[in-house]
Amino acid sequence: KSLLKCAGIEAFYAEIGSGDYQEIKYPKFASADQTNHIIVCVPDAQDTIWLECTSQKIPMGYIGDNNMNRYALLIKPEGGVLVRTPNYSSEQNTKLVQTKLSVQEDGSAKFTFQGNYQNFMFEEVFPLYYYSPDDQKKMLLKKLSSKSFTIDNFSLTDASDSAAKAQLVVNGKLAQIATKSGNRLFVTPTYLSESDNFDKIQAKRTKNVFQSMAYSSSDKLDIEIPANYAIESLPQDTEVKSVFGSYALYATRVGNNIRIERKITTHAGSFAPTLFAAINDYKQQVQLANSQKIILKRTDQ
């Protein structure tokens, strides 16, 4: 705030409750214990800028999911004013992933993964900035959703401009994505991309499920099949919609290769126990769609 003042830019000290369990919940009741953090608000006629001043790495204008969509108390010359911090839609909180797989006859595959992360989804890779290259590689081996793979090389780039953005590129090998049976290969589509948590809600739960942030994840998976094989069966196109979110998967032939496009959208909200059965049904349908196999048949036997 002082630095901005030296540059002739007006800014306001803003008290906020940061995190899952701390925020200003009682706007008509003044109490100091509703806040635990300070950010800075830079008013503008077109688009107010919010600054997270504690972190030395978070992009300018992005305040993190712990500070989004809640009351902030601006300390202005005429007194305190409550305002809301920014909230992002699922179209603004995005992860766009393009993966190329080259399937080998022994069931292994070479892969190239490119992920573009924005706003809330940027936080999936943001912690990696704090690690050395060796530790980044170790974290990626845990993070990418496959149990058996090796990384040849990778890069992580901060692409932030008017929004928090990052690009992650990884090249490597998957030990096993297909099993052989006679003259057929059964291929499991592997996206290498963390998707939503599709564990079922426990039946004994009695409290609402709260999803603070809406977001979307889009995958484009291009699969190159081995020579002397042809496509016998593709995953069925699937569309599922629910109060909790939506899912779509489409598989097409591109020459003698395969393209699968998948999009998962998760809605923000508080979901009552009366909705749990419908949400669990949605999650089960998504799990079934994700587990569909590709069947390839050898053509020279």
Side-chain angles (χ1 to χ4, degrees), residues 48 71 151 220 226 257:
T48 296
Y71 281 115
I151 294 175
K220 184 182 289 184
N257 295 317

Side-chain angles (χ1 to χ4, degrees), residues 90-99 113-126 129 144 155-161 163-170 191-194 216-220:
S90 59
E91 289 76 23
Q92 294 170 306
N93 293 326
T94 58
K95 176 173 62 176
L96 306 176
V97 174
Q98 185 164 357
T99 305
F113 170 98
Q114 179 176 305
N116 293 283
Y117 306 79
Q118 179 170 293
N119 291 326
F120 174 64
M121 301 303 278
F122 164 86
E123 299 201 25
E124 275 198 15
V125 294
F126 174 60
Y129 287 118
L144 297 180
S155 64
L156 177 62
T157 305
D158 186 343
S160 301
D161 43 37
K165 296 178 183 178
Q167 184 179 83
L168 175 64
V169 178
V170 185
Y191 301 92
L192 288 168
S193 172
E194 290 181 324
S216 65
S217 175
S218 298
D219 292 280
K220 184 182 289 184

Side-chain angles (χ1 to χ4, degrees), residues 126-184:
F126 174 60
L128 293 173
Y129 287 118
Y130 290 91
Y131 293 95
S132 67
D134 286 344
D135 286 336
Q136 285 179 333
K137 186 174 182 177
K138 291 176 184 177
M139 293 294 291
L140 286 172
L141 288 169
K142 294 179 181 179
K143 183 177 183 59
L144 297 180
S145 58
S146 182
K147 294 181 179 178
S148 180
F149 71 101
T150 57
I151 294 175
D152 294 333
N153 54 74
F154 69 93
S155 64
L156 177 62
T157 305
D158 186 343
S160 301
D161 43 37
S162 59
K165 296 178 183 178
Q167 184 179 83
L168 175 64
V169 178
V170 185
N171 294 289
K173 299 180 181 68
L174 291 157
Q176 192 74 34
I177 69 163
T179 56
K180 194 170 185 179
S181 178
N183 62 350
R184 287 177 172 81

